[in-house]
Amino acid sequence: MNIHSEDAMTEKSDMKRLILNAAIQEFAQKGFDRTTMADIAKRAKIAVGSIYNYSESKVTLFENCAVLLLEEFSSFLQPSLLEKQERIYAIILRAFDYLKADLARAKIILIESFNFMINYPHSPIFQAIIGF
C-alpha cells in the first residue's frame, strides 16, 4: 500500500469518526426522532451530502453509533482476572465510570437505543444484539 492510499484511509476513518461523534451528540441532545442529518452535518461542520458517503440513512447512522458505543463500552469493561464476585463488582463500577465520563454516550446507550429498538424492531444491528 502506498502513502497516498494510507492517507486516504486515515482521512476516511477520521471523517467517519467525526460524523459519528457529531451524531452521538445530536442524538443525545435531541433524541433520534428530532435529530436531522442537517443537524449532524452542522455540528460536524461538513456538508449534509458528505454524511451519505458514510451512512445511507439516519437509521443506519444511528446503528453505526450504537455499534461504536457498544464496542467502546465493551472494551472499557474488560475485567481483570479476579474472582467472579469481584469481577462483577469491578464491571459494574467501570460501567458507571464510563457512563459518568460522557453523558451524551450514556444517554444514547440507556435511552435512545431502547426508543430506537421500539420504533425499528427489525433493525439488523439490534436483532443481532438481542439475539433474534
Side-chain angles (χ1 to χ4, degrees):
M1 187 179 306
N2 66 39
I3 291 176
H4 295 297
S5 61
E6 288 177 13
D7 289 344
M9 287 177 57
T10 300
E11 285 179 27
K12 186 170 182 156
S13 177
D14 290 347
M15 178 62 79
K16 183 175 181 179
R17 178 61 83 156
L18 174 72
I19 292 167
L20 289 173
N21 284 330
I24 288 167
Q25 294 299 317
E26 288 297 317
F27 290 139
Q29 183 179 3
K30 298 176 184 167
F32 176 80
D33 290 329
R34 291 186 317 221
T35 297
T36 66
M37 294 297 249
D39 296 331
I40 296 165
K42 183 176 179 182
R43 183 177 289 266
K45 298 180 177 143
I46 60 173
V48 175
S50 297
I51 295 174
Y52 292 99
N53 292 325
Y54 299 89
S55 285
E56 63 187 40
S57 68
K58 186 170 80 166
V59 170
T60 57
L61 181 56
F62 189 88
E63 291 170 341
N64 292 336
C65 290
V67 167
L68 173 66
L69 293 174
L70 290 171
E71 288 171 352
E72 287 177 355
F73 192 61
S74 176
S75 68
F76 188 82
L77 294 179
Q78 293 301 316
S80 61
L81 297 174
L82 303 171
E83 292 297 320
K84 186 175 182 178
Q85 186 175 1
E86 291 173 329
R87 276 197 321 257
I88 293 169
Y89 183 69
I91 287 171
I92 291 169
L93 288 178
R94 288 190 55 84
F96 281 116
D97 287 343
Y98 176 85
L99 296 173
K100 283 190 318 187
D102 190 331
L103 295 179
R105 281 172 160 68
K107 185 176 179 194
I108 297 289
I109 290 171
L110 297 173
I111 298 171
E112 290 302 319
S113 292
F114 292 111
N115 291 336
F116 186 86
M117 284 190 285
I118 290 167
N119 292 315
Y120 299 91
H122 301 294
S123 165
I125 185 67
F126 288 114
Q127 286 183 11
I129 291 168
I130 58 178
F132 286 121

